[in-house]
């Protein structure tokens, strides 16, 4: 088990593709591994767009999920929200995903594996953000999207 003083694992992903596509691919992989996911989005518009996209992600496969507009079920594997999330709810999920534009500071200190997404601007911003998050005691790994949804660690 990880020592609390080591900090929380945070993967920082700089994306160039559509966030909905990337998240749907990631959620499918996590779902197939029985890993539960909470996704915090910037607003209701983004929540509704991702909700619709996940319903239609693959015609032959349903990606089970609920939104904060639905009734919450205990065994729900993927939960989309824009709201401030109760710590008791966070504990139910294995991974927390923060969408681009969601401020990590607004989310509080996380004690779960966290995936933070941002749109790529330039390499210097990537390095600056990594240093800033590391100074907050997060164990940061930074990745940049390359063609065909591959990732390069920086």
């Amino acid at each position: 088990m990880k020592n609390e003083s080591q900090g929380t694992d945070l993967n920082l992903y700089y994306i160039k593709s559509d966030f909905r596509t990337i998240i749907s691919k990631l959620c499918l992989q996590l779902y197939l591994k029985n890993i539960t996911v909470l996704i915090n989005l910037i607003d209701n518009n983004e929540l509704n767009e991702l909700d619709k996209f996940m319903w239609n992600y693959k015609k032959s496969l349903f990606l089970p999920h609920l939104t904060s507009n639905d009734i919450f079920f205990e065994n729900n594997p993927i939960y989309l929200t824009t709201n401030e999330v109760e710590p008791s709810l966070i504990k139910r999920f294995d991974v927390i995903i923060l969408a681009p534009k969601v401020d990590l500071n607004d989310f509080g200190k996380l004690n779960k594996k966290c995936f933070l997404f941002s749109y790529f601007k330039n390499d210097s911003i990537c390095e600056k953000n990594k240093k800033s998050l590391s100074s907050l005691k997060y164990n940061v790994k930074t990745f940049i999207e390359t063609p065909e949804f591959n990732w390069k660690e920086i």
Side-chain angles (χ1 to χ4, degrees):
M1 189 164 178
K2 184 168 58 166
N3 182 341
E4 183 69 28
S5 65
Q6 291 175 320
T8 300
D9 291 335
L10 190 144
N11 289 359
L12 178 55
Y13 294 93
Y14 287 97
I15 61 176
K16 299 174 184 176
S17 301
D18 181 54
F19 174 70
R20 297 171 305 171
T21 303
I22 291 172
I23 287 303
S24 295
K25 286 176 177 277
L26 174 60
C27 284
L28 176 59
Q29 292 173 357
L30 295 172
Y31 172 69
L32 294 173
K33 293 177 182 178
N34 292 319
I35 296 172
T36 57
V37 180
L38 183 144
I39 303 172
N40 195 287
L41 302 153
I42 193 70
D43 58 28
N44 281 325
N45 185 45
E46 187 177 46
L47 181 139
N48 292 331
E49 286 180 11
L50 183 57
D51 180 33
K52 287 177 190 173
F53 190 87
M54 291 176 93
W55 275 101
N56 299 310
Y57 172 59
K58 287 195 174 197
K59 293 182 186 207
S60 62
L61 177 71
F62 171 66
L63 193 53
H65 67 281
L66 292 175
T67 75
S68 53
N69 299 326
D70 301 318
I71 297 172
F72 184 78
F73 291 100
E74 192 75 27
N75 61 353
N76 179 54
I78 302 168
Y79 187 66
L80 313 178
T81 186
T82 61
N83 303 327
E84 187 173 309
V85 182
E86 294 289 326
S88 61
L89 184 60
I90 291 173
K91 291 178 184 178
R92 296 181 184 183
F93 294 93
D94 301 312
V95 173
I96 307 299
I97 295 175
L98 302 181
K101 300 181 185 173
V102 172
D103 189 344
L104 183 61
N105 292 327
D106 291 343
F107 211 77
K109 181 67 175 162
L110 298 170
N111 294 315
K112 295 279 185 171
K113 178 117 181 146
C114 183
F115 298 162
L116 178 61
F117 286 84
S118 182
Y119 287 103
F120 180 79
K121 293 180 183 156
N122 63 55
D123 289 335
S124 64
I125 290 176
C126 297
E127 189 59 35
K128 178 184 169 194
N129 288 340
K130 181 177 182 176
K131 286 180 183 178
S132 176
L133 290 167
S134 295
S135 74
L136 298 173
K137 306 296 185 220
Y138 289 106
N139 300 318
V140 182
K141 289 185 181 179
T142 306
F143 303 88
I144 295 177
E145 182 184 1
T146 61
E148 299 182 26
F149 301 107
N150 290 311
W151 301 95
K152 175 183 141 188
E153 187 171 0
I154 59 170

